[in-house]
Amino acid sequence: MEPIKTEIVVVGGGPGGYTAAFYAADLGKKVILIERDKRLGGVCLNRGCIPSKALLNAAHTISAARESAHRGIVFEAPKIDTNQLRAWKESIVAKLCGGIGMLAQKRNVHVIHGRAHFEGSNSLRVETEQGQQFVNYEHAIIATGSKPAMPKAFDLGNPRIMTSTEALETEDIPENLLIVGGGYIGMELGTVYATLGSKVVMVEALDSILLGADADLVRPVMAYAKKNFKEVRLKSKVLKMSTSGKQIKVESEFEGQKKEELYDRVLVAVGRVPNGDNLGLESTKVQKDEKGFIKVDSNQRTSDPSIYAIGDIAGGILLAHKAFREGRIAVDTIMGEIGTADKYVIPAVVFTDPELAWCGLTEAQAKAEGVDIEVAKFPWGASGRALTLDRPDGLTKLIICAKTERILGVGIVGVGAGELIAEGALAVEMGVTAKDLSLTVHPHPTLSETVMEAAEVFYGHATHTLSKKRAE
Amino acid sequence: MDVKLPNLGEGADSGTVVSLFVKEGDRIEKDQPLMELENEKAVATIPSTASGVVAKIHVKSGDKISVGARIITVTESAGGSTSAAAPASAPREEKRPAAKPRAAQPVMELPEDDEPIEAAPVAESNGDVAASPSIRRMANDLGIDLTRIRGSARGGRIVLDDVKNYIQKLTRAAQAPKAAVGAPTAEKPAPEKIDFSKWGEISKKPMTSLRKIISRRMVENWNAIPHVTQFDDVDLTTILELRKKYLADYEKQGARLTVTSFVLKGVIAALKKHPIFNASIDEAAEEIVFKEYFHLGIAVDTEAGLIVPVIRDIDKKSLLQISKDLDELAKKARDRKVSPDELKGGTFTISNQGGIGGAHFTPIVNKPEVAILGLGKGAMKAVVRNKAIEARMMLPIGLSYDHRIIDGGEAARFTVDLLQALENFNEADVKNGLSA
Ligand SMILES: Cc1cc2nc3c(=O)[nH]c(=O)nc-3n(C[C@H](O)[C@H](O)[C@H](O)COP(=O)(O)OP(=O)(O)OC[C@H]3O[C@@H](n4cnc5c(N)ncnc54)[C@H](O)[C@@H]3O)c2cc1C
């Protein structure tokens, strides 16, 4: 078959890939988008952000009902139909993926479903169900994403040992669930299953869950886990797993002792690995790092001048909004729009209960790097809105440059922190000062007031809490 | 913790790194010299403002840096991250005093129009700068270095107007290269490019920043000041006798008694009698400023070029003290350790070539001073005294002055009084400091 000629080919139809393809098409480029799945949307839509948040929201109804008992509103114990739950979640995913497909069509982005394989710096082959298709391109953007890591020792081929992908299918609600890994995926799915009724045991090798977030912000999340999980074991390691009838026998080590336990299911959430193999990158000049992520510069250029890489495959923080931004940077660079890419803030959100979100500099980071900062905190116990929500277990904290009073970072734990952090991201990006935040009128009663009041704490005159006078 | 380039005093807020004294991993103490910086007028040694282990060096020799630029990062201990436990409030207290001198700095001192363009980088990259993402994007597209712009909004945030002003400034600077230097030569044609190698072997060497400064200042002074030089010869006999007599005593006190010290002391009488030589012109106010203090500049010939450190309050000092100060300052100048402050505030300058040779010469007045005294090499001359020819040791002098405010008669009178003071140097003044 004659090779198709195109200006830009995007490999991978996840958030990075479709953003890049759409943006390039909007700028008038001829674009081909290649996706091996039947649906566009990648991990994010099919087996990541969206389904996990759908399940978390469904689970939230249960906990909200349970927590309302002391307010005098009592519900019966919930009946859970996992088939119905799955179908609802699936309908959301289908709708979003369909939407992406429709948007591609309207933009004249030529979508090819099949597996891409590079043949050189300017040509690739796609294995489709209808056979091979060749593409000659001027520029390629690789956005093949990542997949869950599954250590060989746990990979018994037993479906009861799950990754996030299977866990999101909610085939059943296991009575005893072991979660290996206290990162955000383990914590989020642990929250889902614990609320649906599983006895969750979480095992984390490090001395804290949610690495990267400041300890004071992690505390309320940890408190939730301690209350709602059967157990959280820090500094603990799973050594071995084996099949034992309909269960999994797990050998682990905790507090110097070996344990042997039986679980109905195990969720392995120990990180993600890049989809960089079997891409034919050997026939290009693209280079990978020792972990298999593609090496890029701040403009998303790989070592091959005609090839760019974005999203999870390019390493760094593996989040969908990072992929969105990188997709745009790659296209802008191809269009000759930006000489040097800017540094930007990537907020992180953990959708646990309460949510935990932060952006910019963390307190721990500032201290490690010797940045001269001051920290201002507003505890939610003093927020009227938090009390009406019956959720005083929150904290808003600002990391402030001691010299310029600029907001360098924001951290929030509490219900809705994921939404609130957007103001923090804007503040850091705009280079606003604590004064700016304190002078901006925030609507009452809302949780957003905690951001303004934290800034007032910095100056020693927050209305709803007592704070130390600031030395001038 | 970062050690940043401190404010070096007025006018000298940037410079070129000459050499570094520390390397990564070194343990340093507060006030220990970090590097040498060649700035406006001299090479200054920059001391560390913190102690600890050098974790990272951010500059290399040849870098042009400005006040506030990061020089090194130090950590408390060799481990580095152990400092993470330090309370956040402590470092802030330390930072505060560093900020103060900046506030006290007179804003008017910036000598050049293009100075703000090279203002202290406030951050490392456009991404670290306080500016909205759209402005950062625009700067990146235009290739503008936002770290060189001082933001006008709260907290130093850069807004669109700041960028516009900066671009206008850049455009102006590009359109009028060097036009700001010396008003009369504003229309100076572009320097002609000459290929000297056409006529034989050549070699090239870049002008150091000190050399560039000297050359710029000389042009400025020469153009701005109508110079007249008054010549004469001083009979050194008395001074040399006194010198011989007291040399050993001075040496015992750790001082070198030189002709220059005598002249420094002797010129004060003439300056007191003719205060116009110790004055300056305030051009803006069209006023003459008379100074009640006598700070004399000494032109020192160093390997890197001419610098003029200042000895303060000569009128209040004994000859012994002056000799000591002179020695120390000359040594500092040659070791490139003169601080920028030591180059400021002079009221009159003495330039002595006597150690090298040569007779009369016409020194160039060191603005904003209005007069300068050049000393040649003393030599035996046939002099007529009491109608007889005698061999006397004569010192050739040349007094250049600013003819805008000093008239010829004034200069002649000054010279007569100076000769009188030096030729009849008071022995008591030589002995004075010794007894103490
Ligand atoms: C359970 C879970 C929850 C998450 N929650 C969040 C969240 O709340 N917020 C957030 O920001 N992020 C979240 N993430 C992370 C987010 O999903 C990823 O960061 C994001 O999907 C990365 O986008 P991407 O475009 O780089 O790659 P992906 O989404 O991984 O997409 C890559 C696509 O490339 C395709 N592909 C791979 N190889 C080939 C090939 N050779 N040829 C053709 N196609 C190929 C794949 O089929 C896939 O569709 C979550 C992830 C998981 C697993």
Side-chain angles (χ1 to χ4, degrees), chain B residues 243-279:
Chain B
R243 180 170 181 267
K244 205 169 159 191
K245 186 167 165 192
Y246 290 100
L247 195 62
D249 293 337
Y250 269 66
E251 228 150 58
K252 266 184 229 141
Q253 304 265 353
R256 245 166 17 102
L257 188 54
T258 63
V259 173
T260 313
S261 337
F262 280 102
V263 176
L264 276 168
K265 183 83 192 162
V267 78
I268 297 295
L271 286 173
K272 280 189 169 161
K273 201 161 170 196
H274 307 276
I276 191 79
F277 286 85
N278 201 49

Side-chain angles (χ1 to χ4, degrees), chain A residues 286-301:
Chain A
V286 173
Q287 284 178 11
K288 295 191 268 189
D289 69 13
E290 62 288 352
K291 286 190 181 140
F293 292 102
I294 293 176
K295 287 195 205 167
V296 292
D297 67 8
S298 58
N299 283 73
Q300 310 303 133
R301 298 183 193 99

